[in-house]
Short mmCIF file of all heavy atoms in Angstrom, two decimals:
data_model
loop_
_atom_site.label_atom_id
_atom_site.label_comp_id
_atom_site.label_asym_id
_atom_site.label_seq_id
_atom_site.Cartn_x
_atom_site.Cartn_y
_atom_site.Cartn_z
N THR A 79 -18.24 -41.35 50.85
CA THR A 79 -18.37 -40.53 49.62
C THR A 79 -17.92 -41.43 48.43
O THR A 79 -17.53 -40.85 47.32
CB THR A 79 -17.52 -39.25 49.73
OG1 THR A 79 -16.22 -39.61 50.18
CG2 THR A 79 -18.14 -38.29 50.75
N LEU A 100 -8.88 -38.73 54.11
CA LEU A 100 -10.08 -37.86 53.90
C LEU A 100 -11.23 -38.37 54.70
O LEU A 100 -11.15 -39.45 55.31
CB LEU A 100 -10.48 -37.88 52.42
CG LEU A 100 -11.31 -39.09 51.78
CD1 LEU A 100 -12.22 -38.57 50.74
CD2 LEU A 100 -10.31 -40.09 51.20
N ASP A 130 -14.83 -32.71 52.32
CA ASP A 130 -15.61 -31.96 51.45
C ASP A 130 -16.39 -30.84 52.27
O ASP A 130 -17.52 -31.05 52.64
CB ASP A 130 -16.70 -32.90 50.83
CG ASP A 130 -15.99 -33.85 49.83
OD1 ASP A 130 -15.67 -33.41 48.73
OD2 ASP A 130 -15.82 -35.02 50.21
N PHE A 174 -12.05 -30.15 49.58
CA PHE A 174 -12.29 -30.50 48.17
C PHE A 174 -13.32 -29.51 47.57
O PHE A 174 -14.41 -30.00 47.23
CB PHE A 174 -12.64 -31.92 48.04
CG PHE A 174 -11.82 -32.95 48.80
CD1 PHE A 174 -12.28 -33.88 49.73
CD2 PHE A 174 -10.52 -32.98 48.49
CE1 PHE A 174 -11.47 -34.77 50.27
CE2 PHE A 174 -9.56 -33.92 49.11
CZ PHE A 174 -10.16 -34.77 50.04
N ARG A 188 -25.24 -32.92 40.25
CA ARG A 188 -24.25 -32.07 40.83
C ARG A 188 -24.21 -30.68 40.37
O ARG A 188 -23.30 -29.89 40.81
CB ARG A 188 -22.88 -32.80 40.59
CG ARG A 188 -22.82 -34.14 41.28
CD ARG A 188 -21.44 -34.77 41.37
NE ARG A 188 -20.71 -34.16 42.56
CZ ARG A 188 -19.54 -34.69 42.93
NH1 ARG A 188 -18.93 -35.57 42.33
NH2 ARG A 188 -19.02 -34.15 44.07
N LYS A 227 -12.10 -28.42 41.52
CA LYS A 227 -12.48 -29.69 40.97
C LYS A 227 -13.74 -29.44 40.07
O LYS A 227 -14.39 -28.49 40.15
CB LYS A 227 -12.77 -30.71 42.06
CG LYS A 227 -14.13 -30.40 42.79
CD LYS A 227 -14.30 -31.34 43.99
CE LYS A 227 -15.61 -31.21 44.67
NZ LYS A 227 -15.80 -32.00 45.89
N HIS A 228 -14.09 -30.46 39.16
CA HIS A 228 -13.38 -31.68 38.92
C HIS A 228 -12.80 -31.51 37.57
O HIS A 228 -13.52 -31.35 36.57
CB HIS A 228 -14.41 -32.90 38.92
CG HIS A 228 -15.12 -32.99 40.17
ND1 HIS A 228 -16.28 -32.29 40.45
CD2 HIS A 228 -14.93 -33.77 41.37
CE1 HIS A 228 -16.75 -32.55 41.63
NE2 HIS A 228 -15.97 -33.53 42.21
N MET A 271 -8.36 -31.46 41.65
CA MET A 271 -8.79 -32.86 41.65
C MET A 271 -9.21 -33.20 40.15
O MET A 271 -9.87 -32.51 39.53
CB MET A 271 -10.06 -32.97 42.51
CG MET A 271 -10.50 -34.43 42.68
SD MET A 271 -12.12 -34.63 43.59
CE MET A 271 -11.54 -34.17 45.28
N PHE A 274 -13.97 -37.73 37.14
CA PHE A 274 -14.19 -39.07 36.77
C PHE A 274 -14.31 -39.41 35.33
O PHE A 274 -14.05 -40.50 34.79
CB PHE A 274 -15.48 -39.58 37.40
CG PHE A 274 -15.47 -39.77 38.93
CD1 PHE A 274 -16.44 -39.08 39.71
CD2 PHE A 274 -14.68 -40.73 39.54
CE1 PHE A 274 -16.47 -39.32 41.16
CE2 PHE A 274 -14.68 -40.90 40.86
CZ PHE A 274 -15.49 -40.21 41.68
N ASP A 306 -10.01 -38.10 41.86
CA ASP A 306 -11.24 -38.34 42.53
C ASP A 306 -11.22 -39.74 43.08
O ASP A 306 -10.31 -40.53 42.79
CB ASP A 306 -12.46 -38.07 41.62
CG ASP A 306 -13.67 -37.65 42.49
OD1 ASP A 306 -13.66 -37.96 43.67
OD2 ASP A 306 -14.61 -37.01 41.98
N TYR A 307 -12.28 -40.08 43.83
CA TYR A 307 -12.40 -41.26 44.62
C TYR A 307 -12.22 -42.52 43.71
O TYR A 307 -13.07 -42.76 42.88
CB TYR A 307 -13.82 -41.38 45.25
CG TYR A 307 -13.86 -42.11 46.57
CD1 TYR A 307 -13.81 -41.43 47.82
CD2 TYR A 307 -14.13 -43.46 46.52
CE1 TYR A 307 -14.07 -42.11 49.01
CE2 TYR A 307 -14.31 -44.13 47.72
CZ TYR A 307 -14.29 -43.46 48.92
OH TYR A 307 -14.44 -44.18 50.06
N MET A 338 -6.66 -41.03 45.44
CA MET A 338 -7.64 -41.01 46.54
C MET A 338 -8.19 -42.52 46.57
O MET A 338 -8.88 -42.99 45.60
CB MET A 338 -8.77 -40.09 46.15
CG MET A 338 -9.83 -40.00 47.31
SD MET A 338 -11.24 -38.91 46.95
CE MET A 338 -10.53 -37.31 46.96
N GLU A 517 -24.18 -35.82 44.18
CA GLU A 517 -23.48 -36.88 43.40
C GLU A 517 -24.48 -38.05 43.22
O GLU A 517 -25.28 -38.51 44.10
CB GLU A 517 -22.19 -37.32 44.09
CG GLU A 517 -21.51 -38.29 43.29
CD GLU A 517 -20.07 -38.66 43.88
OE1 GLU A 517 -19.71 -38.13 44.84
OE2 GLU A 517 -19.43 -39.55 43.18
C1 LIG B 817 -16.57 -36.81 44.61
C2 LIG B 817 -15.66 -35.60 44.99
C3 LIG B 817 -15.30 -35.66 46.51
C4 LIG B 817 -14.75 -37.05 46.85
C5 LIG B 817 -14.35 -37.17 48.28
C6 LIG B 817 -16.18 -38.15 45.13
O1 LIG B 817 -17.07 -39.13 45.09
O2 LIG B 817 -16.85 -36.85 43.24
O3 LIG B 817 -16.25 -34.46 44.64
O4 LIG B 817 -14.45 -34.65 46.79
O5 LIG B 817 -15.71 -38.07 46.54
O6 LIG B 817 -15.40 -37.22 49.18
#
Side-chain angles (χ1 to χ4, degrees):
T79 52
L100 78 149
D130 293 284
F174 304 126
R188 297 194 83 171
K227 73 185 188 186
H228 307 80
M271 185 185 290
F274 285 125
D306 205 341
Y307 207 99
M338 185 187 287
E517 187 174 354

